[in-house]
Amino acid sequence: MKSFTILFALLAIFATPLHAAEGDTYGSVQYALVTYDEEGFDEVEPTALVFKYGKFINDNVSIEGRFGIGLQDDDIDVDILGMTFEAEVEIETVFGVYLVAHTNPDAQGTFYGVLGVTQGELKVSIDGFSDSESESDISYGFGARFGNFTLEYMNYLDKDAFEATAISLGYVF
């Protein structure tokens, strides 16, 4: 709930400048290889498709919204009461709001840093039964844009018991 408060505070702070700003907007689609590492389990690497939409609020700062959906799940073996089961782990959704600082957004090559709030939902299926869990957290990352292509690292969720990070390759339009 605390993360939603931060999310809505960011939206409230930037809603008026975003509407009034005459900055450029951009969109992007990314293929993300997500690494989900939970204490006591093997790491899994499901994939996701992430859509970004951003608007510059000044020459070097933009505010960005993201929405992602899972593409491919990953399987791990889970020991339950001495029996081993195969568990499918997949990303249901990812969404968030971020501030992005760009070194030189008009250049062909530029670097950027990302800070914001993410909510993600993960689904685990074992032997016909499934359960979904959603979490939110402060997120951060960095990336580089070369022409219309991006390469990015994001730490989406970092809790005591688990961490969700992603390496993404994207196309900006």
Side-chain angles (χ1 to χ4, degrees), residues 93-116:
T93 58
V94 174
F95 69 91
V97 175
Y98 312 89
L99 284 176
V100 184
H102 306 261
T103 57
N104 186 3
D106 294 330
Q108 281 295 322
T110 183
F111 296 98
Y112 59 90
V114 182
L115 179 64

Side-chain angles (χ1 to χ4, degrees), residues 1-10 95 117 119 134-136:
M1 192 61 161
K2 184 178 180 181
S3 296
F4 282 117
T5 305
I6 293 169
L7 174 69
F8 290 122
L10 282 172
F95 69 91
V117 178
Q119 176 163 353
S134 65
E135 288 284 343
S136 56

Side-chain angles (χ1 to χ4, degrees), residues 50-98:
V50 179
F51 301 93
K52 303 187 317 184
Y53 179 77
K55 181 169 178 98
F56 280 90
I57 56 177
N58 68 31
D59 289 340
N60 295 91
V61 178
S62 64
I63 189 164
E64 188 174 275
R66 296 184 184 197
F67 174 73
I69 54 174
L71 286 178
Q72 185 175 5
D73 61 18
D74 194 12
D75 300 329
I76 59 170
D77 290 331
V78 178
D79 184 30
I80 301 174
L81 302 172
M83 297 188 317
T84 301
F85 294 91
E86 185 175 271
E88 289 182 356
V89 179
E90 64 182 292
I91 297 166
E92 290 286 298
T93 58
V94 174
F95 69 91
V97 175
Y98 312 89

